[in-house]
Amino acid sequence: MQARKKYVLLGLCACCWLVLFYCGGGVQLRLLRLLTRHRSDVLRPWPNWTDRAFLPRYAHLDELQTDPGSAESPRQRRQAWSTVYRDSRCRMDTCFDFSRCRRRGREGFRVYIYPAEKGDRVSESYRKILTSIAESRYYTPDPREACLFVLGIDTLDRDQLSGQFVPNMDERIRSFPSWNDGRNHLIFNLYSGTWPNYTEDLGFNVGQAILAKASLNTEHFRPGFDVSIPLFSKDHPQKGGERGWLLRNTTPPRRKYLLMFKGKRYLTGIGSDTRNALHHIHNGKDIVSLTTCRHGKDWEKHKDARCDHDNLEYERFDYQELLHNSTFCLVPRGRRLGSFRFLESLQAACIPVLLSNGWELPFSDVIQWNQAVIEGDERLLLQVPSTVRAVPNKRVLHLRQRTQMLWDAYFSSVDKIVLTTLEIIKDRVFSHVSRNRYMWNYLPGGLLVLPEFSTHLAHFPFYYLGLGVSPGHEFTAVIHAVSPLVSQSQPIMKLLQVVSRSKYCSQIIILWNSEKPPPSRSKWPPMPVPLVVTDGRRKTTSRFLPHVAIETEAVLSLDEDTVLLTSEVNFAFLVWRSFPDRIVGYPPRSHFWDLLKHAWGYTSKWTNEYSIVLTGAAFYHRYYNFLFSHYLPQSLRTLVDRTSNCEDILMNFLVSAATHLPPVKVAQRKQYKEVPPPQGTKSAPWANPEHFTQRQECVNTFASWFGYMPLVHSQLRLDPVLFKDQVSVLRKKYKDLERA
């Protein structure tokens, strides 16, 4: 009897299996598609969230004012995309001509802008983009030298209902002799498509051109080819930009409001689902989620039962006050995937909580966004409050600090957005000499870390602390000589003896910048270290050239008439080893804002506060020589050479811009009296009455190029232990510093 039951049970199981095998093909097919679906369809998971299969709907159907005519199937979207982007599978190795960029080695990355045609209207945002390229070190006016081409026609707004829309694009771009089906072209775009679908159709065939586009969908993004850029407003600054709102080590990490959003609610069309549901998480206390229907011309036609209440609640809170006092900021999709809220949140150190499924985040090729934002799913809105409450304070502070780093490095100005785009493309072209992820995601950021100098992290002063690396134990002295050698009693002779006696000195390089030829080696005194005399090319900026002879990390920059003791040199070098990313030296100067002139001022008065350490007697890392020569524009270096002035100020601007830190002043002996220069030598530059006026002008010119004032004030001065203390001389290591 028992055996009979077993046979019956086995028979039933076999029948069930056969039914599933022959009739369940659709189930199998769906499972197969689930396992092999495109990466853009894979939902980005939230941390520690419950199974989504059991999540209830967060909004009723009558609340979601979706226009049924606006919905598109994935197949329809792909077909629309393929009709415009015939080369949707483009990659750098298939749709880019590398030979145009490698004709002159690493210097071959040049960008050409097509001249604007008569009658063309260019938006303010596109004008800023073109200006950034034209003022960059990559611009060339000669198309024959170009590696990359940028259209002079405004392509930012491709919404046919917009006043900025440019028609007949296909005809116009095909007439360009260098178009070549878009090969080696870069097209910028902020807005694509139009009401009601807002597709990614630009309205013309971009061919094999690289897209630098806002609101890119992961389904259409061509990895390693396109560049996703942020959506920015026409008021976004050209240069510099405002600093982030987070002060260093701000505590507590959490603010008054846990989570906030304030913005438009779309009553119909694409993007309405998400924003229509935001009221569900609003509690008016620590979570403020406000929307308004009051926008557009015909909002009252689509007005629903919630509009009046939402509009009243919307007016109760000030947006700026919420932004300043919120820990997390919701960044839901708008009509398109991107939103102005994204950059606003980054600047405010309000951690962005992204609700925009399928959005390829800006510069996703290089930025690790999981360290700065929280990515969610639009369909899981109700889980947002519990998720952000669960983020520990330590993680909150880390996320907020990272928003500031990214904002300052890549997003605070149009200049930085454009240059980041170009640098990403350049890294692809010269992949063997490119930045790694660490360089892009840690201060000072990829724009100030030039891989042409090195691709090894340990060669840059910014990363010593994080890597546990100590700088070298030797330095190279570089003496800038402008006076002919007429006497063995000249200050440069004594300076050579003082510096060469330092146990840390590896070699001495004299940059001969005099009109007369340098004397023979026999005219120079014998020294215990190698001496190299090199041509300074009669340029003031030659003192900061990245000379191949400099093998040490530390560079001691000296004027020929500098008066120092060996003990002073030794002490300053040991201080520099503790601050290898800064300028460490003796003569301080300062800047200030002149309210009467509405301009920056420069002062040489000796006060407790300073922001500049002159490079006539200062240590710095040799990488700054490379950065000075390859990062700064030729116009600033030409200004310095023409006036034979201000190179020390410009170097301080550069180092402070990279570190956001002031230089370091070290103790010096009592002030010595200036002696008149020997007969036949040039007088000191500060004896020229125009010298100080030129330096005032330089400070404002440099600040204008950087777009802000990078110099930072400090009152720190480092002295040797027991310096000037009433103790036994035998206990003092730097006893010579007390001598008058």
Side-chain angles (χ1 to χ4, degrees):
M1 191 69 177
Q2 294 295 331
R4 191 178 199 179
K5 290 182 178 179
K6 290 181 181 179
Y7 288 127
V8 171
L9 183 60
L10 287 173
L12 289 174
C13 291
C15 291
C16 292
W17 184 84
L18 289 172
V19 170
L20 287 173
F21 183 84
Y22 288 104
C23 302
V27 175
Q28 297 174 43
L29 184 59
R30 286 193 293 273
L31 286 174
L32 181 61
R33 288 176 178 172
L34 182 63
L35 293 173
T36 59
R37 61 185 174 182
H38 191 272
R39 78 176 183 94
S40 64
D41 296 325
V42 178
L43 301 177
R44 294 172 175 171
W46 284 70
N48 302 321
W49 276 24
T50 56
D51 189 351
R52 298 174 186 175
F54 300 99
L55 185 72
R57 284 189 70 92
Y58 55 75
H60 297 292
L61 289 176
D62 57 353
E63 291 180 312
L64 303 179
Q65 305 294 326
T66 305
D67 183 358
S70 67
E72 282 188 309
S73 68
R75 176 179 295 178
Q76 290 174 322
R77 290 198 301 270
R78 285 193 294 270
Q79 289 175 346
W81 174 264
S82 61
T83 57
V84 180
Y85 302 98
R86 293 186 294 104
D87 299 283
S88 58
R89 295 184 179 180
C90 266
R91 297 296 181 266
M92 292 294 288
D93 56 346
T94 60
C95 296
F96 195 88
D97 183 3
F98 289 90
S99 64
R100 294 196 63 98
C101 310
R102 294 173 176 169
R103 295 171 183 171
R104 298 164 56 200
R106 290 174 295 183
E107 299 297 322
F109 190 79
R110 293 288 181 263
V111 184
Y112 174 77
I113 302 174
Y114 287 96
E117 298 182 12
K118 187 176 181 180
D120 276 354
R121 292 181 301 173
V122 177
S123 65
E124 180 67 14
S125 295
Y126 199 60
R127 183 193 63 78
K128 291 178 180 178
I129 289 175
L130 298 182
T131 300
S132 296
I133 298 173
E135 293 181 353
S136 75
R137 61 187 181 278
Y138 298 128
Y139 173 72
T140 177
D142 186 353
R144 294 170 298 180
E145 296 180 351
C147 162
L148 204 60
F149 296 82
V150 175
L151 300 179
I153 306 172
D154 191 342
T155 56
L156 288 189
D157 194 342
R158 300 303 298 164
D159 185 340
Q160 296 184 20
L161 300 180
S162 171
Q164 302 290 341
F165 181 80
V166 179
N168 305 321
M169 283 291 294
D170 279 314
E171 296 178 16
R172 299 185 63 178
I173 60 178
R174 279 198 299 267
S175 66
F176 296 151
S178 302
W179 174 244
N180 191 23
D181 195 30
R183 204 170 181 86
N184 287 54
H185 282 67
L186 176 63
I187 295 176
F188 287 90
N189 175 257
L190 294 181
Y191 306 98
S192 62
T194 190
W195 189 90
N197 294 328
Y198 296 95
T199 64
E200 299 196 32
D201 182 0
L202 299 189
F204 66 97
N205 181 15
V206 302
Q208 300 178 25
I210 298 172
L211 282 180
K213 188 178 184 306
S215 303
L216 260 174
N217 193 304
T218 54
E219 186 177 352
H220 302 145
F221 177 69
R222 296 171 289 184
F225 192 74
D226 292 331
V227 180
S228 178
I229 63 174
L231 182 65
F232 60 89
S233 70
K234 64 178 181 181
D235 299 321
H236 207 56
Q238 174 77 63
K239 291 178 176 289
E242 295 181 7
R243 296 289 294 273
W245 297 355
L246 180 67
L247 301 177
R248 293 179 185 271
N249 301 320
T250 300
T251 55
R254 295 184 183 272
R255 296 171 170 174
K256 177 181 178 181
Y257 301 105
L258 174 70
L259 180 69
M260 86 85 171
F261 173 78
K262 185 178 181 182
K264 299 176 182 177
R265 176 158 75 90
Y266 305 122
L267 297 171
T268 60
I270 191 170
S272 59
D273 291 20
T274 302
R275 296 205 177 190
N276 266 321
L278 293 179
H279 73 280
H280 285 283
I281 63 172
H282 173 73
N283 62 20
K285 298 176 182 177
D286 64 335
I287 298 179
V288 178
S289 181
L290 306 170
T291 56
T292 180
C293 308
R294 192 182 290 114
H295 60 88
K297 298 179 180 179
D298 55 352
W299 69 271
E300 291 185 343
K301 296 180 181 178
H302 304 283
K303 181 178 176 181
D304 61 18
R306 261 194 11 253
C307 277
D308 290 335
H309 176 268
D310 286 355
N311 291 342
L312 288 174
E313 189 74 0
Y314 188 85
E315 300 299 329
R316 287 183 53 216
F317 295 86
D318 178 73
Y319 178 67
Q320 290 297 321
E321 193 269 339
L322 289 173
L323 202 58
H324 275 273
N325 294 284
S326 297
T327 305
F328 296 91
C329 285
L330 272 180
V331 184
R333 65 160 296 151
R335 291 301 195 188
R336 301 172 180 87
L337 293 174
S339 167
F340 293 128
R341 298 289 189 276
F342 183 65
L343 290 188
E344 292 171 352
S345 301
L346 285 181
Q347 181 184 6
C350 185
I351 303 165
V353 179
L354 308 182
L355 296 178
S356 186
N357 291 7
W359 182 24
E360 189 71 31
L361 295 183
F363 307 138
S364 55
D365 285 19
V366 297
I367 294 179
Q368 295 174 321
W369 281 111
N370 62 338
Q371 298 182 13
V373 306
I374 294 179
E375 295 185 63
D377 189 304
E378 296 176 67
R379 296 168 293 181
L380 302 175
L381 175 65
L382 290 184
Q383 293 195 14
V384 170
S386 60
T387 300
V388 296
R389 289 187 197 279
V391 181
N393 285 347
K394 183 178 180 180
R395 176 68 175 163
V396 167
L397 184 57
H398 172 79
L399 289 168
R400 292 182 63 194
Q401 289 173 337
R402 187 48 58 92
T403 63
Q404 301 303 273
M405 179 266 160
L406 295 175
W407 164 260
D408 182 73
Y410 308 118
F411 300 108
S412 62
S413 67
V414 176
D415 247 13
K416 291 178 180 177
I417 294 172
V418 172
L419 288 177
T420 302
T421 303
L422 295 181
E423 294 291 351
I424 289 174
I425 297 173
K426 183 182 179 184
D427 276 4
R428 296 171 183 171
V429 174
F430 302 101
S431 57
H432 61 292
V433 186
S434 59
R435 305 160 184 83
N436 57 41
R437 278 293 186 95
Y438 193 98
M439 294 174 177
W440 281 107
N441 288 277
Y442 289 88
L443 286 173
L447 298 185
L448 286 163
V449 177
L450 305 186
E452 294 87 351
F453 175 78
S454 176
T455 57
H456 192 358
L457 291 175
H459 292 164
F460 295 90
F462 320 112
Y463 307 127
Y464 285 168
L465 183 62
L467 298 176
V469 174
S470 297
H473 293 273
E474 293 182 327
F475 67 83
T476 298
V478 179
I479 302 176
H480 191 237
V482 296
S483 303
L485 192 62
V486 297
S487 170
Q488 292 295 315
S489 62
Q490 286 179 225
I492 191 173
M493 292 301 188
K494 184 176 181 180
L495 181 62
L496 286 171
Q497 296 293 340
V498 167
V499 174
S500 65
R501 284 198 294 266
S502 171
K503 61 181 179 181
Y504 305 113
C505 183
S506 172
Q507 62 177 332
I508 298 176
I509 298 175
I510 296 179
L511 290 179
W512 192 256
N513 207 350
S514 174
E515 296 176 356
K516 295 185 178 181
S520 62
R521 180 63 181 86
S522 61
K523 299 291 185 181
W524 299 102
M527 286 176 293
V529 297
L531 175 66
V532 177
V533 181
T534 183
D535 182 16
R537 305 183 193 179
R538 299 180 182 176
K539 291 183 178 180
T540 306
T541 53
S542 63
R543 72 185 305 161
F544 296 135
L545 286 176
H547 299 281
V548 294
I550 301 176
E551 298 178 351
T552 60
E553 296 161 307
V555 177
L556 173 58
S557 175
L558 296 166
D559 286 339
E560 61 181 6
D561 55 355
T562 301
V563 179
L564 289 173
L565 295 175
T566 303
S567 57
E568 289 179 301
V569 173
N570 290 341
F571 175 66
F573 175 66
L574 294 179
V575 171
W576 175 85
R577 293 191 75 245
S578 297
F579 303 93
D581 57 341
R582 305 204 218 176
I583 297 176
V584 176
Y586 297 99
R589 298 292 185 267
S590 188
H591 75 287
F592 64 94
W593 179 253
D594 192 327
L595 290 174
L596 296 178
K597 296 181 180 179
H598 295 285
W600 293 106
Y602 170 85
T603 178
S604 58
K605 292 182 179 179
W606 286 67
T607 63
N608 290 332
E609 192 169 72
Y610 65 93
S611 58
I612 297 171
V613 166
L614 303 184
T615 55
F619 283 94
Y620 61 86
H621 196 282
R622 67 172 179 168
Y623 173 63
Y624 292 124
N625 278 347
F626 192 89
L627 204 61
F628 189 95
S629 299
H630 293 86
Y631 175 79
L632 294 175
Q634 183 62 46
S635 60
L636 295 187
R637 299 199 301 273
T638 301
L639 169 65
V640 169
D641 287 331
R642 187 178 70 249
T643 60
S644 297
N645 199 352
C646 303
E647 78 282 358
D648 48 0
I649 299 177
L650 183 55
M651 178 59 89
N652 274 268
F653 265 74
L654 178 62
V655 176
S656 291
T659 62
H660 302 302
L661 295 170
V664 176
K665 174 174 168 49
V666 293
Q668 192 175 14
R669 290 176 300 156
K670 296 179 182 178
Q671 291 304 299
Y672 55 86
K673 295 182 180 179
E674 294 177 0
V675 295
Q679 187 175 4
T681 61
K682 290 185 177 181
S683 60
W686 52 82
N688 185 344
E690 295 183 1
H691 177 81
F692 188 80
T693 303
Q694 288 175 346
R695 292 174 79 80
Q696 293 266 20
E697 294 173 352
C698 284
V699 169
N700 285 280
T701 301
F702 300 159
S704 175
W705 184 83
F706 279 90
Y708 71 107
M709 172 52 72
L711 297 178
V712 181
H713 282 106
S714 175
Q715 294 183 351
L716 173 69
R717 188 188 77 176
L718 295 182
D719 294 348
V721 177
L722 304 181
F723 173 55
K724 293 187 178 180
D725 283 356
Q726 299 300 319
V727 296
S728 171
V729 175
L730 297 177
R731 295 174 58 190
K732 298 184 178 183
K733 186 176 180 180
Y734 301 97
K735 51 183 176 294
D736 291 340
L737 267 65
E738 293 191 40
R739 295 178 183 176

